[in-house]
Amino acid sequence: MLKIIVCFKWVIDEADIKVSGKSRELDLSRVAYKISDYDRNAIEEAVRLQEQLGGSVVAVTVGPPTAKQSLKDALSRGPEKAVFVSDPAFDSLEPAQTAAILAEVITKNLEYDLIICGEGSSDLYAQQVGPRLAEKLGIPCATYVEKIIIKDKELIAERKMRDGIEVVSMPLPALVTVMPTINTPRIPSLKQVLGAAKKPVVNLSAKDLEGKYEPCLKTTSLLAATMERKRIKFTDDPQDIRKVVDALLKEGVIS
Amino acid sequence: MDFRLTEEQEIIRQSVREFAAKYIDPIANECDENKHFPMEVFKKIAEQEWMGIPYPQEYGGAGSDYLTYVIVIEELSRADAGIGFTVECHTSLAAFPIFKYGTEEQKQKYLVPLCKGEKFGSFCLTEPGAGTDAGSAQTTAVLDGNEWVLNGSKMFISNSPIAEIFIVFAMTDKSKGTKGMSAFIVPREAPGLRVGEHLNKMGIRSSLTAEVIFKDCRIPKENLLGQEGQGFKIAMHTLDGGRIGIAAQALGIAQAALDESIKYSKERVQFGKPIASFQAIQWMIADMATDIQAARFLTYHAAWCYDQGLPYNKEAAMAKLFAAECAARHTNRAVQIHGGYGYIKGHKVERLYRDAKITEIYEGTSEVQRMVIANNLLR
C-alpha cells in the first residue's frame, strides 16, 4: 500500500491582480486565492496513483493562518487527510525555510513512500521546495516529471527535458516534482466538496516546530512589468525589406 | 448579517467556472446556431452531482442547499443560458413537486433518478390557451378503474423532448375552477403521450422545448401527486422556487454581458483611445455592475429565505422581476457597447441579448411577478 504525501501552496489568483495606472503598483486588495496551479496536478497525480494502487494520500501545506481556506479545497480533490502548518510569520517564507518546515513536520508526523510536489508555485516559481525537501529527507528526487509508474518499490519517472524525454528510475521512498502536462486535474463533485469538511485536519503551529523560522524576506516594492515598444514603422514597399533587416541586425535579433 | 458565501459555496462556484470554461464555452455558439442539445455535457453535469443539488442524499441529491444550487445555475447560465435553464427546469420544476408532495414510493421511483441525473424531468402546466391564466387549463384527467385517463395538450414544455418524467397538471373537476386541478406524474412510456416538434426559439437554443399531447393517456391511479384538487397550489408553490432559479439564470446572463463589455471596451480603440476611457461607456458599465449586484443580492436573499424555511414567495418574485429586467436591459447595452460587432452572430453578446428575453416571460411574466408582489403587500 502506497503512502503518498502531496505538498501544495495557497497563492494569489493572478487573474484578480489589478495594476493601478501610471504608478504600476499592484492592487491586491480584492484578490482571491487558489491552490497553486501545478500543485493541483500534484494532488491529482497522488489521487490517481492511490486509485490505481491503493494506499493513502495526505496533503500538507505551510502558510499563514489565512491559508486555512485552502484545506477544504484541497481535501475536496481527493486526499483523505490534511496537515496545516501555520503561523502569521509564515507569510513570507523563503523556499529553504518552507522545505525545512516540511521536512521537520513530515519526519515527525508522517510515514511515506512517495512525496509529490508541483514543479514550481504560480507566484514565485522558484522550483526550490521539492528538491530541497528531498535533500533534507535524504531521498532521491526527480524534477520536470510528466509520467510516473510505480513498480514494487521502484519509481520510474519520465522527465521533460529541453531536447527530449529522460526516463529515470529510483527506489522508494522518493520525491517527484510534476509538470502540468502530467494530467488534467478533475473538478470536484458537489458531494466531494461537501464531504471535505468531514475529513481530518492536523493543525500545527510554529510552537510545534523545533526549528526557528523567522521571516527573512522583505518585499520592498512590487511593480507591474512594462513592455516598451520600439514604435518603428515599416511599409509594404520592397525597399523597406532592407530597413527591416538592418533594424533586426542592429537589435541583435539576427546576425 | 454575513454577506460571505461559505468556503464550500466558493469552491463550487470556482468548480462550475472551470467546468464551463472546459466543456461549455467551446460549444456554446454551435449549440445556439444549430439548436443543439449537448447531451454529453449533461452526462458530465450529472457526474458533478449538479442535477439534484438541494435535495437529500437519500433521494439521490447532493444534500446541499438552495443558495448553492442558485450559484450553480448562475455560473452555468453565464456560459450558456440554455444549459443553465435545463438544469433549473429539471431541478426546480420537475424534482421539487415530487420532493415536496410525493409519497415515499413516488420519491424512490421518480425523484431518485431525477436527482442522480439518470432521467430528465419536465413540468407541464402551460397550454395553447392557458399561459399566465394557468387556472383556465383545459387538459382533463378522469379516473377509470385503477387508471387516470388524461386528454389535452400542453404548450412550450421545456425539456419535454428528452424528459422521461413529466409533472402534468389537469382538471379533475372543472366545476371547482382552480380547486379542480390536480397534479400527476406521467412517465414517458405512458400510452397516449406524444411529444411534438422541438420548437425553433429566439434564445436559450441549447435547451429543448416542445408541445406535449395527451390522447387517452393512461397512468396508474397511484401517480396522482398530492391530493386531488391540490394541483394549482402545487403548481404555484413549485413556481415560487422556480423563480429563484430563473433569477439566477438571468443573473448569469447579465454578468456575462458585463464581462464581455468590460473586456471589449478595454480593447476596442476609437478616436485613438480604448472606448472604456469615454464616460458614455463608463456610465453604462457602472449601471450594469450596480444593477447586477442588486439582482444578485435579491436572488441570494430569496434562496436564503428558502433555506431558512422562511416565506419566499414575494422575495422570489422580486428577485425574478428585477434580475430578468436587469438581464434584458443590460444585454441590450452590451450589444450597444459592442456596436456593429455585437450585432453579428458568433459574438457572445448577440446570443445573450436573445437569451435574456425569455427570463421576462417564463415561470411567470414580469407582469405576474408584479401581481405577486403587490398581492403580498396589499392584502
Side-chain angles (χ1 to χ4, degrees):
Chain A
M1 298 293 256
L2 202 61
K3 295 188 190 72
I4 307 174
I5 293 172
V6 60
C7 304
F8 72 92
K9 185 177 184 183
W10 189 237
V11 298
I12 283 174
D13 188 339
E14 62 277 7
D16 295 332
I17 300 174
K18 304 233 173 195
V19 179
S20 35
K22 286 177 190 152
S23 73
R24 293 197 284 131
E25 279 174 14
L26 303 186
D27 178 3
L28 306 179
S29 60
R30 288 175 181 268
V31 291
Y33 287 75
K34 64 175 184 181
I35 294 174
S36 179
D37 294 341
Y38 298 1
D39 295 350
R40 284 180 53 183
N41 296 99
I43 296 172
E44 176 67 25
E45 197 58 25
V47 173
R48 283 187 190 202
L49 288 169
Q50 182 205 29
E51 284 168 354
Q52 282 168 24
L53 307 164
S56 61
V57 178
V58 178
V60 185
T61 190
V62 177
T66 49
K68 186 173 184 294
Q69 293 171 65
S70 68
L71 300 171
K72 281 183 193 166
D73 194 343
L75 289 169
S76 72
R77 295 170 192 279
E80 59 258 29
K81 181 174 132 183
V83 178
F84 180 39
V85 194
S86 91
D87 191 89
F90 293 171
D91 196 19
S92 50
L93 289 170
E94 198 268 312
Q97 293 177 305
T98 307
I101 294 169
L102 284 170
E104 191 184 328
V105 167
I106 289 171
T107 307
K108 278 195 208 154
N109 300 283
L110 300 168
E111 290 178 26
Y112 60 90
D113 299 303
L114 172 62
I115 300 175
I116 309 181
C117 301
E119 180 56 38
S121 61
S122 306
D123 52 359
L124 298 179
Y125 202 68
Q127 298 172 280
Q128 296 273 311
V129 172
R132 282 178 182 273
L133 175 57
E135 192 62 28
K136 289 255 177 202
L137 296 172
I139 57 174
C141 170
T143 52
Y144 299 108
V145 173
E146 280 196 316
K147 191 174 178 186
I148 298 173
I149 297 166
I150 308 272
K151 276 189 185 163
D152 301 323
K153 279 283 166 191
E154 187 188 42
L155 182 148
I156 299 157
E158 289 186 7
R159 304 180 66 219
K160 173 139 177 87
M161 311 309 291
R162 193 166 292 175
D163 49 0
I165 304 284
E166 183 184 60
V167 182
V168 296
S169 71
M170 24 189 215
L172 294 175
L175 185 147
V176 292
T177 62
V178 299
M179 300 289 284
T181 40
I182 195 166
N183 57 40
T184 306
R186 73 196 71 184
I187 301 170
S189 78
L190 218 156
K191 281 186 210 158
Q192 284 173 323
V193 175
L194 298 177
K198 297 183 192 112
K199 293 183 177 178
V201 175
V202 178
N203 288 289
L204 299 171
S205 71
K207 284 185 216 130
D208 302 310
L209 303 172
E210 279 171 25
K212 292 287 160 249
Y213 305 97
E214 298 298 328
C216 65
L217 284 181
K218 200 175 151 197
T219 305
T220 50
S221 145
L222 194 59
L223 295 176
T226 53
M227 197 170 63
E228 281 296 325
R229 294 182 186 275
K230 306 276 180 214
R231 296 197 173 85
I232 308 167
K233 286 184 181 170
F234 303 98
T235 67
D236 56 2
D237 183 338
Q239 299 290 319
D240 266 17
I241 294 171
R242 186 68 241 169
K243 289 184 191 165
V244 175
V245 174
D246 287 345
L248 292 175
L249 280 169
K250 197 177 149 199
E251 293 291 330
V253 179
I254 53 173
S255 55
Chain B
M1 205 170 184
D2 190 349
F3 286 98
R4 276 171 305 191
L5 298 175
T6 64
E7 284 177 11
E8 284 82 355
Q9 285 159 345
E10 292 286 4
I11 295 169
I12 289 159
R13 184 192 290 283
Q14 284 307 323
S15 302
V16 186
R17 281 188 191 168
E18 194 181 329
F19 181 94
K22 199 167 163 188
Y23 300 115
I24 302 179
D25 290 343
I27 58 153
N29 275 340
E30 191 272 323
C31 290
D32 174 60
E33 190 72 27
N34 302 318
K35 58 178 180 119
H36 170 69
F37 181 82
M39 186 58 93
E40 64 289 353
V41 170
F42 285 95
K43 288 199 177 121
K44 291 196 171 73
I45 287 177
E47 283 168 18
Q48 295 297 136
E49 295 152 345
W50 296 339
M51 291 299 268
I53 297 170
Y55 305 117
Q57 296 192 1
E58 60 190 288
Y59 297 126
S64 184
D65 52 27
Y66 221 72
L67 182 50
T68 302
Y69 159 66
V70 152
I71 292 165
V72 172
I73 298 300
E74 176 190 349
E75 292 298 333
L76 288 174
S77 302
R78 190 172 169 184
D80 184 315
I83 291 176
F85 170 64
T86 298
V87 178
E88 191 277 341
C89 172
H90 172 89
T91 310
S92 288
L93 301 189
F96 177 86
I98 306 177
F99 171 62
K100 217 69 191 175
Y101 297 94
T103 61
E104 186 57 31
E105 204 182 351
Q106 286 172 337
K107 286 180 192 172
Q108 291 300 338
K109 193 168 176 188
Y110 300 109
L111 182 59
V112 170
L114 286 179
C115 288
K116 285 186 174 171
E118 293 166 353
K119 291 181 178 177
F120 282 96
S122 184
F123 177 85
C124 307
L125 177 65
T126 298
E127 295 187 1
T132 294
D133 182 13
S136 68
Q138 296 297 312
T139 300
T140 56
V142 177
L143 193 60
D144 178 24
N146 274 330
E147 289 178 327
W148 288 99
V149 183
L150 275 66
N151 275 291
S153 80
K154 295 286 177 180
M155 197 55 178
F156 308 132
I157 303 306
S158 307
N159 290 0
S160 60
I162 35 120
E164 290 180 72
I165 296 165
F166 297 76
I167 306 298
V168 181
F169 297 88
M171 305 308 288
T172 40
D173 185 350
K174 275 193 181 172
S175 68
K176 290 185 183 164
T178 55
K179 289 199 170 132
M181 183 184 271
S182 302
F184 301 90
I185 304 171
V186 182
R188 189 175 190 101
E189 63 274 14
L193 181 154
R194 187 169 69 81
V195 176
E197 286 283 295
H198 169 197
L199 297 170
N200 194 11
K201 302 192 294 289
M202 175 203 276
I204 56 163
R205 289 168 59 84
S206 60
S207 71
L208 297 172
T209 311
E211 188 177 9
V212 181
I213 300 119
F214 302 92
K215 195 174 176 196
D216 295 327
C217 174
R218 289 181 168 269
I219 54 168
K221 190 180 172 187
E222 65 265 23
N223 279 28
L224 174 73
L225 182 61
Q227 305 298 314
E228 199 178 327
Q230 206 186 5
F232 192 74
K233 188 189 154 205
I234 293 174
M236 294 304 115
H237 188 191
T238 301
L239 285 171
D240 280 339
R243 283 163 190 165
I244 310 176
I246 298 303
Q249 184 207 13
L251 182 57
I253 296 171
Q255 182 65 50
L258 176 63
D259 298 341
E260 293 297 310
S261 299
I262 290 175
K263 196 167 72 184
Y264 184 79
S265 62
K266 284 178 167 176
E267 288 166 2
R268 173 69 169 170
V269 174
Q270 290 288 275
F271 304 103
K273 292 182 205 171
I275 59 170
S277 64
F278 298 118
Q279 198 175 48
I281 303 295
Q282 290 171 1
W283 285 24
M284 284 198 241
I285 300 270
D287 287 347
M288 285 168 99
T290 307
D291 276 354
I292 290 167
Q293 185 77 328
R296 182 167 289 120
F297 284 144
L298 280 172
T299 306
Y300 289 8
H301 177 249
W304 178 84
C305 288
Y306 178 109
D307 288 330
Q308 298 298 314
L310 296 168
Y312 58 90
N313 154 281
K314 180 184 73 177
E315 289 72 12
M318 285 177 164
K320 201 248 181 198
L321 170 65
F322 191 84
E325 294 194 345
C326 166
R329 187 162 61 244
H330 294 311
T331 50
N332 184 349
R333 283 194 169 161
V335 172
Q336 193 69 19
I337 290 170
H338 282 69
Y341 290 105
Y343 198 66
I344 305 295
K345 292 256 177 214
H347 251 271
K348 189 170 179 182
V349 291
E350 185 271 340
R351 167 160 58 94
L352 295 169
Y353 182 64
R354 287 181 287 107
D355 286 349
K357 183 61 204 173
I358 191 63
T359 64
E360 293 182 299
I361 299 171
Y362 61 11
E363 301 197 29
T365 60
S366 289
E367 292 69 31
V368 165
Q369 308 311 322
R370 288 186 168 88
M371 274 164 54
V372 171
I373 298 162
N375 283 344
N376 264 279
L377 298 171
L378 301 172
R379 70 185 168 203

